[in-house]
Amino acid sequence: MRKSNTNLEEKIKERTLMLLETKEPYEIGMRDIAEVCGVSATSIYLYYKDKNDLFHKISQECLVQLEELMMNQTKAESDSVKNVSSALRAFRDWCFVNPRKAMLIMGKFKADEQAPKEEMDKYYVCNRMGKLLLDKCVSENQLKSENTLMDTNVLIYGLWGCVESVLQKRSDIELWSRQVEYTDRFIEIMLKGLDGE
């Protein structure tokens, strides 16, 4: 695939995200994307082998943004447990600020199961970062974990479940406007469950 026009490539991703605001990924074809970009479908294929390739690139860009936000939040903390909490809150905040992107990358876009391991790892940057933070807490005897990879995934996807319950209006109606308090409570409960004292 030829990469000659970065402006067009960015436009393709931006317009695809606009389409994804109102349609599910399975409802969108390359012709739909080409139409909203004002180019031929052939032009899209110069940059992406198919729509799933395009969706993967969008997903990975969102995950890079999310990872950067989480890293920035943890730089402000010197306490290891507060770092885990700050990373989880950064994840939660990004999801609430970018609800559609969060719904897409956490539930609609599927990882490319045929991709090499180094490509697959890009889908799990938050998990990898969380594991490093939790490993540090365990090594300092601040938290307990027999399996930090599993516990990190429970923290992230459990928190995502709370976030999604608000975004999808599945939680109790009273919690829709108390989303930060609700998700903070989840983080507090989960970290107490790993408390090393």
Side-chain angles (χ1 to χ4, degrees), residues 64-81:
V64 166
Q65 291 170 3
L66 179 51
E67 181 187 29
E68 286 174 4
L69 179 65
M70 291 171 70
M71 288 179 76
N72 288 336
Q73 289 297 104
T74 59
K75 284 179 185 174
E77 298 290 349
S78 58
D79 179 88
S80 298
V81 177

Side-chain angles (χ1 to χ4, degrees), residues 2-174:
R2 179 171 53 101
K3 304 276 186 191
S4 61
N5 185 342
T6 54
N7 290 337
L8 178 56
E9 192 175 1
E10 287 306 308
K11 181 179 182 179
I12 292 167
K13 286 186 275 193
E14 286 173 17
R15 297 288 170 88
T16 301
L17 274 169
M18 286 172 50
L19 269 177
L20 288 163
E21 287 292 326
T22 56
K23 292 185 175 188
E24 295 299 321
Y26 69 87
E27 297 175 312
I28 299 171
M30 289 298 254
R31 284 195 175 94
D32 301 314
I33 296 165
E35 185 178 322
V36 297
C37 291
V39 298
S40 68
T42 306
S43 297
I44 308 287
Y45 286 109
L46 294 173
Y47 301 94
Y48 307 99
K49 66 180 179 182
D50 56 30
K51 74 175 189 178
N52 289 324
D53 181 40
L54 172 56
F55 294 160
H56 294 315
K57 297 293 188 291
I58 290 170
S59 181
Q60 288 172 359
E61 282 188 11
C62 290
L63 288 165
V64 166
Q65 291 170 3
L66 179 51
E67 181 187 29
E68 286 174 4
L69 179 65
M70 291 171 70
M71 288 179 76
N72 288 336
Q73 289 297 104
T74 59
K75 284 179 185 174
E77 298 290 349
S78 58
D79 179 88
S80 298
V81 177
K82 286 183 180 175
N83 270 333
V84 173
S85 179
S86 291
L88 290 167
R89 284 182 172 87
F91 170 84
R92 180 263 328 268
D93 293 345
W94 185 88
C95 291
F96 283 138
V97 169
N98 302 283
R100 184 60 181 163
K101 285 181 183 178
M103 295 292 288
L104 290 167
I105 65 169
M106 295 300 292
K108 304 286 183 179
F109 291 161
K110 303 293 182 228
D112 182 359
E113 296 176 30
Q114 306 306 314
K117 183 184 180 327
E118 54 276 359
E119 276 298 304
M120 283 294 286
D121 280 347
K122 291 178 182 177
Y123 293 100
Y124 303 102
V125 292
C126 298
N127 305 54
R128 302 296 178 256
M129 181 185 168
K131 183 182 182 315
L132 290 173
L133 294 171
L134 190 53
D135 283 341
K136 188 165 192 254
C137 291
V138 171
S139 73
E140 294 173 352
N141 293 317
Q142 292 194 38
L143 295 176
K144 291 180 184 175
S145 174
E146 296 295 319
N147 185 332
T148 55
L149 177 64
M150 184 181 295
D151 289 341
T152 299
N153 277 266
V154 168
L155 285 167
I156 291 170
Y157 295 106
L159 178 56
W160 167 246
C162 289
V163 170
E164 184 183 29
S165 74
V166 172
L167 295 176
Q168 295 290 327
K169 308 291 191 228
R170 291 187 186 131
S171 62
D172 193 290
I173 191 168
E174 180 187 326

